[in-house]
């Protein structure tokens, strides 16, 4: 190649321009932009374009090529092309392949020089021809000399080819990292190939680069190419590659991307493009993780000798270095990007599978960097290079076994991830800032990075949720339960300090910086570590527990789908799952015999039991006063509802929220066991009537919060029928008894007579929070009370409008909470649900027996009901005093005996009042069982232990728990 004309002249006379943006926008993906014009030898015709790649990719017969240059130079059929001379005439003038389909911004083009189309198959043909030709002209290379070249592979093949053409012997020296295909390519031209040991220090005498100098020192007829230090190396690209890119893009190139090994490609090409564009073209140099060039560029220009920036092993060939070559100049490098082997090789696979381009690892590295850069640009033309062909790496990059053996399996974690992070931390905060149009997005705005974050998070959450050690059973399980804390309780200040330590402060400050994947994962792990471990078998406080694994998958699926269950068309599967779950629950509530038809019913999954109870109030009010929906409360009767004094506080909240007023939700007396007294209910209703009020609602309970009491539903129904009042049953906690015929007969007699019920599968069925259902026998009642018929959602003439559930709700948006229950039900079946429910109730009965047999160390505070066990711990100092006073009528071993504290002196009760809070504090400090305490019915503070599913619990675990409590409370 003759020297190029001055850049200014080229700008004014350039030929072979790219088509205008409007024309090129329609260019086919992977299409080849023709070569730059080649200087003609006297007597030869213009060289036609060599390959019609677009025709191959599109499987069509000879489509029109995006022509660069005169129309007369349209590629001729191969058979009509004239001879061009020897192989060296094919060096350079490679076509540009349009890879814009890979760009992350629509206004950005990515073009790649197909350097694998050079005769020996790589970009290195350019320097081989230039260096040897110049050496011949200057008399440094003479006939009979032997050419010696150290190489990572491609330069060796290029030197071998030129030597074959010029009649020189050659010796090429590479290392064991070089692929077998490249070694054979170097041998194929008839010379000698020496394979040196891999991973030697850069200053080791047997390092493959140093062996070249050693051989040349020993033999004066050896000519050393010295590609790593030779200034002719970058000059070759300044004279050829730079002008070609400028000419082929008509000067529209805005960014040049190329990795460096010798540094010649980047140094020479960037120098030309910056001169030609008067500094407008910006350059990006990707560098493989393990190369020292990244650290040298961001440091003082010298390679690091230790730490993350020092030379380390990496797999991508022909790019990066373990020392800084003299041929590399950082002067015209605007930015560098660190790239892992996996990122480079994954791009190689993407190029072959989506763009029909079989590129080598350095090409994958370059294109990966170009794609990353495209995300940071608003518009522009990025030009990069594909230095060689993937044919040279079929035994590596494109060999699945090799990739798997080297930890590069598709979808696997990046083996260089931690090293990459350390390199990035040692560089600038934003590596691409100097060449980008806009600031970088938060790391997880990148979908690939977000995908890796999700995969890591799923693994973390799965391990946490399964808690295998805690649920393995037997002595090993009991030991793990005793050893692992239920919670690591910290003060607010301590928690904030822990989050600050991992780089994710709890406070959301002004100008908040985006955290990366690792920081967010650490914050997630820390959150789990410092949160209550609800899947711990000794989490026995609130009326729920750790999530069922299949229900958790259903929860994740619902969150991933992110559908709103208001209309069938946006949530068809979730709508059907909710309908089927409600139908199953309705059959169980109303005790339909096996094989019987599903009774008429209405229902919804709602955000919690409190909301379900409020739905009961709303439907009861609508049934008693249908005009209230339009008229409002003013002008209507004073409506009064009733619930027991042990009922959940959501009835009072519901009365306040619906405008009834808390005073109009009357608390009905209960007996010692917390069961509503039917006679007291009847009297309260009569009293309300006498005061001119209209009774409309009774809220009975199946499993009260504290004592676990089940009301007498048959008796309550009779009172409701006598007064014409709606009967609702809050079975949020005690609905586990629906799952077992034995438990239903014991606890739920008459519940089928209710008008509506609340059922919380997130309690005894261990569905992830929240999973709550409201059901009523009155078909269509929810729509009558709540419908608004929003025209933009609930059109009567659209497909499947009868399936829509949303207009039954007081909300607009609704989560698909039913799906997790549907999925879990499919995983267990009715028999497993029955077995799990019976296990929890039976274990509560066992625990009660243990307490009654504890020789007054523990004393029952109430008779057990549901899975609630209420008891006192009695410290040794108080036991003799309590022995003088009977806390129970009759034999305290009798589980039927009610509590009577009338004979116990007040000072002793006051002391007992303080025991539970102090013992619980000690249990919290040690991370032991999470058990609540409270006062109730005038009794001193007592512990309330509840069994929500009782996963991982057995008699041994409970016995050991009582022993640990006794040890902790000895001195109280």
């Amino acid at each position: 190649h003759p020297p190029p004309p001055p850049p200014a002249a080229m700008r004014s006379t350039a030929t072979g321009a790219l088509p205008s943006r409007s024309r090129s926008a329609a260019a086919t993906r992977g299409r080849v932009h023709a070569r730059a014009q080649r200087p003609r030898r006297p007597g030869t015709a213009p060289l036609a374009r060599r390959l019609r790649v677009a025709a191959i990719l599109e499987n069509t017969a000879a489509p029109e090529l995006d022509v660069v240059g005169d129309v007369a130079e349209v590629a001729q059929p191969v058979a009509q092309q004239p001879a061009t001379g020897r192989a060296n005439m094919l060096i350079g003038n490679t076509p540009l392949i349009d890879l814009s389909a890979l760009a992350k911004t629509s206004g950005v083009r990515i073009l790649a020089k197909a350097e694998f189309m050079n005769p020996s198959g790589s970009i290195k043909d350019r320097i081989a021809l230039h260096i040897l030709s110049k050496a011949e002209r200057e008399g440094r290379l003479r006939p009979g000399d032997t050419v010696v070249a150290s190489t990572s592979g491609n330069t060796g093949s290029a030197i071998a080819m030129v030597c074959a053409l010029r009649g020189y012997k050659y010796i090429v020296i590479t290392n064991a990292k070089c692929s077998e295909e490249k070694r054979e390519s170097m041998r194929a031209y008839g010379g000698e190939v020496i394979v040196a040991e891999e991973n030697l220090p850069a200053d080791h005498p047997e390092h493959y680069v140093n062996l070249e100098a050693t051989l040349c020192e020993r033999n004066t007829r050896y000519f050393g190419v010295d590609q790593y230090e030779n200034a002719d190396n970058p000059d070759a690209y300044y004279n050829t590659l730079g002008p070609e890119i400028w000419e082929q893009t008509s000067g529209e190139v805005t960014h040049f991307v190329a990795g460096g090994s010798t540094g010649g490609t980047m140094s020479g090409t960037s120098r030309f493009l910056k001169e030609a564009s008067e500094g407008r073209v910006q350059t990006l140099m990707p560098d493989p993780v393990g190369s020292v060039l990244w650290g040298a560029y961001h440091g003082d220009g010298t390679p690091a000798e230790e730490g993350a920036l020092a030379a380390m092993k990496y797999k991508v060939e022909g790019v990066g270095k373990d020392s800084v070559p003299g041929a590399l100049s950082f002067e015209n490098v605007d930015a560098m990007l660190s790239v892992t082997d996996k990122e480079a090789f994954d791009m190689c696979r993407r190029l072959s599978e989506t763009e029909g381009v079989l590129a080598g690892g350095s090409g994958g590295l370059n294109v990966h960097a170009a794609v990353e850069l495209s995300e940071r640009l608003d518009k522009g033309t990025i030009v990069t290079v594909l230095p060689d062909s993937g044919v040279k790496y079929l035994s590596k990059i494109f060999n699945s076994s090799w990739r798997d053996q080297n930890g590069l399996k598709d979808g696997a974690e990046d083996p260089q991830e931690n090293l990459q992070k350390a390199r990035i931390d040692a560089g600038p905060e934003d590596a691409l800032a100097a060449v980008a149009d806009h600031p970088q997005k938060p790391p997880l705005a990148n979908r690939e990075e977000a995908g890796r974050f999700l995969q890591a998070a799923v693994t973390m959450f799965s391990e946490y949720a399964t808690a295998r050690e805690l649920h393995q059973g037997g002595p090993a399980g009991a030991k793990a339960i005793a050893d692992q804390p239920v919670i690591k309780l910290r003060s607010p200040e301590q928690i904030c300090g822990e989050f600050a330590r991992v780089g994710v402060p709890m406070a959301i400050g002004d100008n908040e910086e985006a955290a990366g994947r690792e920081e967010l994962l650490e914050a997630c792990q820390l959150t789990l570590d410092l949160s209550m471990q609800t899947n711990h078998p000794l989490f026995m406080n609130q009326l729920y527990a750790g999530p069922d694994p299949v229900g958790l998958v259903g929860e994740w699926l619902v969150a991933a789908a992110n559908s709103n269950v208001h209309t069938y068309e946006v949530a068809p599967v979730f709508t059907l799952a909710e309908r089927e779950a409600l139908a199953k629950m309705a059959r169980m509530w109303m005790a339909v015999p096996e094989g019987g038809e599903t009774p008429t019913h209405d229902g919804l999954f709602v955000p919690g039991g409190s909301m379900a109870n409020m739905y009961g109030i709303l439907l009861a009010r609508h049934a008693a006063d249908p005009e209230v929906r339009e008229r409002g409360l003013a002008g209507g009767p004073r409506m009064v509802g009733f619930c027991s004094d042990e009922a959940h506080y959501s009835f009072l909240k519901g009365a306040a929220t619906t405008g009834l007023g808390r005073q109009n939700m009357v608390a009905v007396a209960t007996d010692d066991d917390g069961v509503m007294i039917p006679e007291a209910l009847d009297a309260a209703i009569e009293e309300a009537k006498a005061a001119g009020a209209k009774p409309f609602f009774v809220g009975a309970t199946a499993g009260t919060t504290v004592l676990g009491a089940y009301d007498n539903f048959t008796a309550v129904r009779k009172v409701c029928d006598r007064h014409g009042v709606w009967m609702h049953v809050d079975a949020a906690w005690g609905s586990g008894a629906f799952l077992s015929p034995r438990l239903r007969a014991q606890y739920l007699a008459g519940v089928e007579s209710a008008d509506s019920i609340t059922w919380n599968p997130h309690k005894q069925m261990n569905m992830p929070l929240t999973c709550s259902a409201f059901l009523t026998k009155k078909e269509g009642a929810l729509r009558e009370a709540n419908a608004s018929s929003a025209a933009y959602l609930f059109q009567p003439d659209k497909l499947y409008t009868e399936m829509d559930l949303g207009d039954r709700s007081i909300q607009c948006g609704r989560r698909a909470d039913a799906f997790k229950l549907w999925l879990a039900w499919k995983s267990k079946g009715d028999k497993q649900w029955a077995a799990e429910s019976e296990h929890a109730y039976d274990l509560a009965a066992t625990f009660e027996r243990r307490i009654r047999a504890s020789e007054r160390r523990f004393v029952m505070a109430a008779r057990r009901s549901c899975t609630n066990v209420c008891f006192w711990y009695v410290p040794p100092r108080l036991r003799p005093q309590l022995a003088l006073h009977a806390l129970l009528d009759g034999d305290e071993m009798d589980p039927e005996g009610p509590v009577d504290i009338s004979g116990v002196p007040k000072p002793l009760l006051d002391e007992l009042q303080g025991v539970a809070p102090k013992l619980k504090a000690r249990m919290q400090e040690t991370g032991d069982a999470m058990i609540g305490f409270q006062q109730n019915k005038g009794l001193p503070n007592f512990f309330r232990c509840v069994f929500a599913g009782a996963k991982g619990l057995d008699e041994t675990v409970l016995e050991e728990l009582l022993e640990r409590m006794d040890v902790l409370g000895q001195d109280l």
Side-chain angles (χ1 to χ4, degrees):
H1 293 274
M10 291 198 65
R11 285 198 301 276
S12 62
T13 62
T15 59
L18 277 175
S20 66
R21 287 190 183 276
S22 61
R23 181 182 167 198
S24 62
T28 304
R29 182 175 66 186
R31 198 166 198 172
V32 176
H33 292 286
R35 298 169 176 270
Q37 289 185 327
R38 173 178 290 107
R40 304 180 192 172
R41 292 191 301 165
T44 63
L47 179 64
R49 311 301 188 257
R50 287 187 290 177
L51 292 180
R52 300 175 65 79
V53 175
I56 298 171
L57 290 175
E58 298 177 10
N59 196 26
T60 59
E64 179 184 353
L65 197 65
D66 271 345
V67 177
V68 178
D70 299 332
V71 175
E73 293 185 359
V74 172
Q76 303 172 23
V78 174
Q80 299 177 21
Q81 292 180 13
T84 60
R86 306 188 76 191
N88 62 287
M89 292 300 298
L90 299 176
I91 297 174
N93 294 296
T94 53
L96 282 170
I97 300 177
D98 192 342
L99 300 178
S100 301
L102 304 178
K104 295 185 177 181
T105 303
S106 58
V108 176
R109 291 182 295 177
I110 299 177
L111 307 176
K113 287 283 279 181
E115 292 298 297
F116 53 78
M117 296 181 71
N118 285 299
S120 80
S122 85
I123 194 171
K124 297 297 188 177
D125 286 6
R126 296 176 182 271
I127 68 169
L129 182 62
H130 180 74
I131 290 174
L132 295 189
S133 297
K134 185 176 180 183
E136 287 176 330
R137 290 195 302 270
E138 295 176 353
R140 292 181 289 115
L141 177 59
R142 298 162 295 169
D145 284 353
T146 297
V147 178
V148 183
S150 56
T151 174
S152 57
N154 283 329
T155 300
S157 297
I159 291 292
M161 177 202 67
V162 177
C163 286
L165 289 170
R166 303 286 174 89
Y168 297 109
K169 295 179 181 180
Y170 65 88
I171 300 172
V172 290
I173 310 159
T174 189
N175 62 20
K177 179 178 175 181
C178 179
S179 73
E180 192 60 40
E181 292 91 336
K182 288 198 287 187
R183 296 185 206 174
E184 292 304 318
S185 171
M186 290 185 281
R187 293 188 182 103
Y189 293 98
E192 182 180 355
V193 177
I194 298 174
V195 180
E197 187 177 342
E198 186 181 3
N199 299 317
L200 293 174
D203 58 355
H204 194 285
E206 294 186 12
H207 187 284
Y208 76 100
V209 174
N210 299 329
L211 284 176
E212 176 186 330
T214 301
L215 289 176
C216 291
E217 286 172 4
R218 294 175 182 175
N219 195 319
T220 58
R221 296 304 305 271
Y222 282 6
F223 171 77
V225 173
D226 194 20
Q227 65 164 329
Y228 297 98
E229 307 296 324
N230 196 333
D232 293 337
N233 178 347
D235 285 349
Y237 297 105
Y238 180 88
N239 292 335
T240 63
L241 187 59
E244 289 173 24
I245 291 172
W246 185 258
E247 185 179 0
Q248 286 173 291
T249 62
S250 190
E252 291 186 10
V253 56
T254 58
H255 296 79
F256 177 65
V257 177
S261 176
T262 67
T265 304
M266 172 54 74
S267 299
T269 309
S270 64
R271 179 158 52 97
F272 178 89
L273 292 176
K274 283 189 174 291
E275 289 177 6
S277 66
E278 296 180 346
R280 177 177 53 82
V281 173
Q282 294 178 301
T283 59
L284 171 64
M285 183 176 171
D287 191 46
V289 171
S291 164
V292 302
L293 302 183
W294 166 273
Y297 177 78
H298 291 297
D300 60 4
T302 59
E305 296 183 359
E306 58 184 21
L309 302 181
M312 297 186 186
K313 291 180 64 174
Y314 57 95
K315 301 298 181 183
V316 64
E317 298 180 32
V319 67
K321 204 72 183 69
D322 54 8
S323 61
V324 179
L328 171 61
S329 169
F330 291 130
E331 181 182 355
N332 291 311
V333 178
D334 295 312
M336 290 190 73
L337 184 70
S338 186
V339 181
T340 67
D341 289 332
K342 193 171 190 304
E343 289 171 330
F345 295 159
D346 284 351
M347 181 55 73
C348 290
R349 297 282 287 270
R350 185 178 177 188
L351 283 169
S352 63
E353 294 173 6
T354 68
E355 302 302 315
V357 177
L358 197 64
S362 57
L365 176 134
N366 288 341
V367 176
H368 171 84
V371 171
E372 292 301 300
L373 174 59
S374 71
E375 187 175 26
R376 301 289 302 278
L377 302 179
D378 299 322
K379 59 183 179 179
T381 298
I382 302 171
V383 177
T384 188
V385 293
L386 304 175
D388 60 6
S389 169
V391 171
K392 298 187 176 188
Y393 308 93
L394 296 179
S395 62
K396 289 189 172 185
I397 300 172
F398 299 96
N399 183 295
S400 297
S401 297
W402 182 87
R403 284 173 64 93
D404 293 353
Q405 291 168 8
N406 287 279
L408 300 167
K409 187 176 183 179
D410 291 343
E413 284 290 323
D414 194 324
Q416 293 178 303
E417 180 178 354
N418 291 334
L419 182 56
Q420 168 78 311
K421 185 176 185 299
R423 279 166 58 97
I424 292 173
D425 288 345
E429 185 174 339
D430 180 3
L432 296 179
V435 292
D437 291 340
H438 50 76
Q440 63 182 343
K441 295 179 181 178
L444 295 184
N446 179 297
R447 285 289 173 155
E448 292 181 7
E449 182 71 3
R452 289 189 286 269
F453 174 74
L454 287 172
Q455 289 174 346
V458 165
T459 299
M460 178 194 302
F461 300 158
S462 298
E463 291 176 355
Y464 175 83
T466 51
R468 287 182 290 270
E469 287 187 1
L470 295 173
H471 295 269
Q472 61 185 306
K479 184 178 186 307
I481 290 170
D483 291 345
Q484 292 192 27
V486 182
I487 187 171
K488 302 171 186 175
L489 192 60
R490 302 286 189 272
S491 70
E493 293 77 15
Q494 289 174 318
I495 291 175
C496 289
E498 288 292 308
F499 276 86
R501 179 183 59 80
V502 301
V504 188
M506 186 62 70
I508 304 175
D510 297 334
N511 299 313
E512 182 76 16
E513 294 290 336
R517 173 163 56 109
E518 292 303 319
E519 290 83 3
L520 292 176
L521 288 172
E522 284 196 59
C524 289
Q525 186 63 64
L526 185 59
T527 300
L528 294 176
D529 290 344
L530 298 182
S531 295
M532 181 64 67
Q533 194 168 351
T534 60
N535 54 21
H536 197 296
L538 295 182
F539 175 71
M540 308 164 79
N541 186 6
Q542 277 72 31
L543 306 183
Y544 61 92
D548 174 85
V550 178
L552 183 59
V553 170
E555 174 80 3
W556 289 345
L557 188 152
V558 166
N562 202 34
S563 290
N564 190 333
V565 192
H566 45 28
T567 63
Y568 176 83
E569 64 183 335
V570 299
V573 175
F574 296 144
T575 299
L576 292 175
E578 182 164 355
R579 285 176 169 273
E580 292 301 330
L582 290 168
K584 176 68 173 180
M585 297 165 86
R587 292 196 299 274
M588 300 188 84
W589 162 36
M590 289 181 255
V592 176
E594 184 176 345
E597 291 186 6
T598 300
T600 57
H601 67 280
D602 202 353
L604 278 177
F605 275 74
V606 298
S610 296
M611 289 293 293
N613 286 338
M614 191 171 74
Y615 270 91
I617 294 172
L618 286 172
L619 263 64
R621 187 180 70 176
H622 184 77
D625 183 11
E627 302 302 319
V628 70
R629 209 170 95 97
E630 301 299 329
R631 182 197 68 236
L633 295 174
R638 181 170 74 89
M639 311 282 278
V640 178
F642 305 84
C643 63
S644 81
D645 58 14
E646 288 288 305
H648 193 260
Y649 64 85
S650 58
F651 286 116
L652 283 174
K653 283 181 172 287
T657 303
T658 57
L660 295 170
R662 290 165 57 95
Q663 293 180 352
N664 290 318
M665 184 58 68
V666 178
V668 178
T670 56
D671 62 20
D672 290 339
D673 295 320
V675 177
M676 183 190 289
I677 301 171
E679 295 78 10
L681 172 64
D682 188 68
I685 293 177
E686 291 287 3
E687 183 179 348
K689 284 182 175 180
K694 181 173 184 177
F696 77 104
F697 172 85
V698 170
T701 305
T704 58
T705 301
V706 177
L707 299 178
Y710 287 82
D711 289 335
N712 185 333
F713 305 118
T714 301
V716 171
R717 179 76 261 177
K718 288 180 181 178
V719 174
C720 290
D721 286 344
R722 192 163 79 83
H723 294 286
V725 175
W726 182 286
M727 176 183 172
H728 175 79
V729 173
D730 174 13
W733 172 232
S735 51
F738 280 121
L739 304 172
S740 160
R742 169 167 69 86
L743 297 176
R744 182 190 176 99
Q746 182 177 352
Y747 293 102
L748 293 173
V751 73
E752 65 277 5
S753 66
D755 296 297
S756 59
I757 66 165
T758 290
W759 183 338
N760 278 17
H762 70 234
K763 294 186 181 291
Q764 291 192 3
M765 297 176 79
N766 298 147
M767 289 300 100
L769 291 163
T770 60
C771 188
S772 305
F774 170 80
L775 293 104
T776 178
K777 291 178 179 177
K778 315 288 186 182
E779 187 174 16
L782 284 166
R783 192 181 300 277
E784 289 176 12
N786 301 322
S788 294
S789 302
Y792 74 96
L793 281 177
F794 308 112
Q795 301 91 354
D797 50 355
K798 72 177 179 181
L799 280 175
Y800 311 117
T801 188
E802 71 281 1
M803 300 296 292
D804 294 348
L805 297 174
D807 220 14
R808 304 179 184 186
S809 170
I810 61 174
Q811 305 163 251
C812 175
R814 298 180 60 246
R815 287 190 86 250
D817 286 327
F819 183 79
K820 51 196 166 192
L821 177 63
W822 177 88
L823 194 67
W825 217 306
K826 291 297 181 180
S827 78
K828 294 179 187 291
D830 291 356
K831 291 183 179 179
Q832 182 62 24
W833 278 128
E836 291 185 5
S837 186
E838 289 173 2
H839 169 68
Y841 280 72
D842 293 347
L843 201 58
T846 298
F847 194 47
E848 179 186 29
R849 288 193 295 271
R850 286 286 176 184
I851 288 172
R852 292 184 181 277
S854 69
E855 299 179 345
R856 292 188 183 275
R857 291 184 301 161
F858 300 90
V859 176
M860 289 294 293
R863 285 184 292 192
R864 177 195 59 82
S865 184
C866 191
T867 66
N868 298 40
V869 182
C870 300
F871 62 94
W872 287 289
Y873 169 68
V874 183
R877 186 174 60 80
L878 300 181
R879 290 169 195 167
Q881 299 178 58
L882 280 176
L884 299 175
H885 306 279
L887 283 178
L888 302 172
D889 285 341
D891 183 3
E892 67 185 50
M893 298 291 291
D894 178 11
E896 300 303 318
V899 174
D900 181 4
I901 62 170
S902 58
V904 182
K906 186 176 184 302
L908 186 56
L909 291 178
D910 290 343
E911 289 214 55
L912 200 60
Q913 166 81 5
V915 169
K918 292 178 181 178
L919 180 54
K920 179 180 172 67
R922 293 181 178 184
M923 294 173 70
Q924 285 178 304
E925 289 169 355
T926 61
D928 211 324
M930 182 68 177
I931 303 175
F933 68 86
Q934 64 279 308
Q935 293 176 278
N936 194 60
K937 288 187 170 292
L939 299 175
N941 277 320
F942 57 80
F943 286 107
R944 181 201 60 163
C945 183
V946 295
F947 295 81
K951 306 294 191 302
L953 285 176
D954 58 26
E955 191 169 344
T956 300
V957 172
L958 295 176
E959 198 170 296
E960 292 179 355
L961 168 62
L962 292 176
E963 292 298 324
R964 292 195 303 277
M965 291 179 71
D966 192 22
V967 170
L968 287 172
Q970 284 289 308
D971 62 338
L972 291 177

